[in-house]
Amino acid sequence: MDQVGYDTYCKLLDEVVKEMQGIETKEELDVQIDINISSYIPDEYIENSSQKIEVYQNIALSRTEEDIQNVIDEIIDRFGAMPEEVNNLLEIARIKELAKKAFVTKISGRRESVIFNFDASNFNMNIVDKLVKKYRNEIRFSRRN
């Protein structure tokens, strides 16, 4: 798990379970998010490591807003009000799912701007025009083939 990262580990585990159940899986776009924000589950919030791994897995396997909201409800029910770091982790999960739908492969925060890398063969270029008009020089796009 340390070598491939937790998100990749959860994804691989989910694919193996689905394969064993005979459920067909398709290759998901892997979205990398590199922003300067604390997003983790603090030890003070969830002390038990197996419970913490379970929550990380639930977050990593969330694919819809409903999935994410169910995870939030479960976390709050089990552990109480969420610290900012956990809320950030869930927001990143939301961003990843939205990015997948838009074929964005990487989101990087740099100083006062955000850089979006996208799959040029699938990306809807109309989105670029709208975002550039709204955010001007605060946003850049990079084509990655």
Side-chain angles (χ1 to χ4, degrees), residues 113-127:
S113 63
V114 177
I115 301 169
F116 293 84
N117 295 82
F118 57 90
D119 178 350
S121 62
N122 292 310
F123 190 76
N124 180 351
M125 292 304 291
N126 295 329
I127 293 172

Side-chain angles (χ1 to χ4, degrees), residues 45-47 51-52 55 74-82:
Y45 185 61
I46 301 177
E47 295 175 6
Q51 289 177 329
K52 189 182 289 191
V55 171
E74 180 183 352
I75 291 171
I76 292 171
D77 285 349
R78 290 175 66 190
F79 306 105
M82 294 186 304

